[in-house]
Each structure stands twice: as structure tokens, then as C-alpha cells.
Amino acid sequence: ATTASSSSSSLFTSSIELFSDPDLLQNRPPLQRIAVISAGIVANIVLAYSCIATSAVTFGIAKPVYEPGVYVSSIVDPSSAAAAAGVQ
């Protein structure tokens, strides 16, 4: 293995080990790396969809029940400053 060190002027210096194994992702051509990363993204989307679909099939989709709201007889107190300003 060889070591490549960063010569930047940052506070931390880091070194990256570069292995010569052709099976490592870092040693693959860029198109193959893009394919691997894209496959991971697609797998995550498929997993998320299957989890949501399984939840919907198992537990069902909630339907909101609309009930009558609260009756408000008066918004402004007749003796308040808002009533004196003309708010109705």
C-alpha cells in the first residue's frame, strides 16, 4: 500500500492509503463507481416504497373524520380595546 498525504494549509493533515487491489471501489473506473452509487440510491428508494406500501396494506390508510367545530359566539369582548377600535 502507498500513502498519499495532503499538502493543504489546513489545521489537520490527513493521509489516505491507496491500495492496489483492482476490486476496490476506489480503483474502479468512474462509470462503474457511478453505477454502484446509483444502485444504492435506487435500492433505498425501493426499500422506502416497499415499507410504505406494506404499512398501508397492513394498517390501512387513515381517513379523516370531520366533526363539527367549536361554536364561537363572540370574538371581541365588548369592553376591550379591540372593540373600541372597531374590530368585529
Side-chain angles (χ1 to χ4, degrees):
T2 60
T3 304
S5 60
S6 174
S7 62
S8 66
S9 62
S10 68
L11 294 174
F12 302 103
T13 58
S14 64
S15 63
I16 302 170
E17 279 194 61
L18 301 175
F19 295 100
S20 60
D21 184 9
D23 291 334
L24 291 177
L25 187 61
Q26 69 183 8
N27 297 331
R28 293 288 187 161
L31 199 56
Q32 287 182 359
R33 284 185 260 168
I34 290 171
V36 168
I37 292 170
S38 299
I41 293 170
V42 170
N44 281 327
I45 291 171
V46 169
L47 177 65
Y49 178 77
S50 65
C51 288
I52 291 171
T54 302
S55 175
V57 168
T58 304
F59 301 110
I61 298 174
K63 294 182 180 127
V65 177
Y66 298 105
E67 297 179 359
V70 177
Y71 175 72
V72 179
S73 61
S74 172
I75 295 177
V76 179
D77 184 20
S79 63
S80 68
V87 175
Q88 297 184 7

